[in-house]
Amino acid sequence: PYNSFINMATEPLDKFSAFLIWVAEKQFGVTNHDRVAPGALNMAPAPTTVVQYINRYQTINEYVGGAINNPMYLHFFLLVVCSIADPSKEYCYDNVIADLTLNSGNPEGIFAILDLFTWSGWIEAYAFLVIRQIALAVIAQYFVSMVFGVWYAFSDNIKLCEPGDVDPIFGFDLCNNDIAQFVRSP
């Protein structure tokens, strides 16, 4: 009875998978969609030149660059489902999305650089995303600070701040001193 229940549950998924493969073949020209065995991926070789590192960076950056339509969420969902279904597996190649993406073991693009159907590959991509977002925020904040600094430097009638504008740090009000109150006269 258990096997018939499993067959009943997987039959719609098999039909849906077959439909996705048919769409990939007809609409996108995907022809290599064989299941990949663990350890059988032909990953891109490690970069040896600066240009290769830049190309790798750009490929990863394109993958993690989107916000709402970011494919990282799909891979996260797949990894969670695979981990729940079989916690002993360290990979998630047994699904139609991996079949269509991994090009029968010869992946292209981001999939040749990072194995996103494993937790380690996904975590590496996510760490890249976090570092990238922090770097972009720091650069943006630096730019805004520079604009305000130049504006203040060339302004003739504006103070840096008034006492109480900035929360006291260690009980010291940064704006309650002669430097912050200085106004250049024209």
Side-chain angles (χ1 to χ4, degrees):
Y2 179 72
N3 287 339
S4 64
F5 175 75
I6 294 297
N7 289 338
M8 239 175 38
T10 60
E11 185 179 342
L13 289 175
D14 291 340
K15 288 180 181 177
F16 182 67
S17 297
F19 172 73
L20 288 178
I21 290 173
W22 178 81
V23 168
E25 288 175 345
K26 299 298 181 198
Q27 298 296 321
F28 303 106
V30 174
T31 56
N32 297 327
H33 49 72
D34 297 330
R35 181 100 351 138
V36 176
L41 284 179
N42 297 321
M43 302 299 281
T48 57
T49 66
V50 172
V51 171
Q52 290 173 354
Y53 274 104
I54 290 170
N55 290 339
R56 183 171 278 211
Y57 165 81
Q58 289 173 336
T59 301
I60 296 172
N61 194 39
E62 287 172 11
Y63 172 75
V64 301
I68 295 172
N69 61 347
N70 192 326
M72 285 189 68
Y73 301 120
L74 171 65
H75 286 101
F76 178 76
F77 177 71
L78 278 173
L79 286 166
V80 167
V81 170
C82 288
S83 295
I84 291 170
D86 190 355
S88 65
K89 287 185 180 177
E90 297 178 7
Y91 57 88
C92 188
Y93 303 141
D94 299 335
N95 61 72
V96 70
I97 295 171
D99 296 344
L100 294 172
T101 307
L102 295 177
N103 196 23
S104 296
N106 298 305
E108 298 171 350
I110 184 70
F111 302 102
I113 297 170
L114 295 173
D115 186 358
L116 295 168
F117 293 96
T118 62
W119 279 109
S120 61
W122 188 87
I123 289 170
E124 192 173 342
Y126 189 75
F128 180 88
L129 172 68
V130 169
I131 291 169
R132 177 181 169 267
Q133 292 301 104
I134 290 171
L136 290 175
V138 167
I139 290 169
Q141 191 64 33
Y142 177 76
F143 178 74
V144 169
S145 298
M146 291 301 296
V147 168
F148 277 114
V150 169
W151 178 54
Y152 176 70
F154 290 105
S155 178
D156 289 337
N157 56 358
I158 191 167
K159 297 179 190 176
L160 181 61
C161 58
E162 291 285 343
D165 279 353
V166 178
D167 291 334
I169 300 174
F170 302 113
F172 177 72
D173 186 355
L174 295 174
C175 295
N176 194 11
N177 59 55
D178 292 336
I179 296 173
Q181 301 301 315
F182 175 76
V183 176
R184 271 191 312 173
S185 54

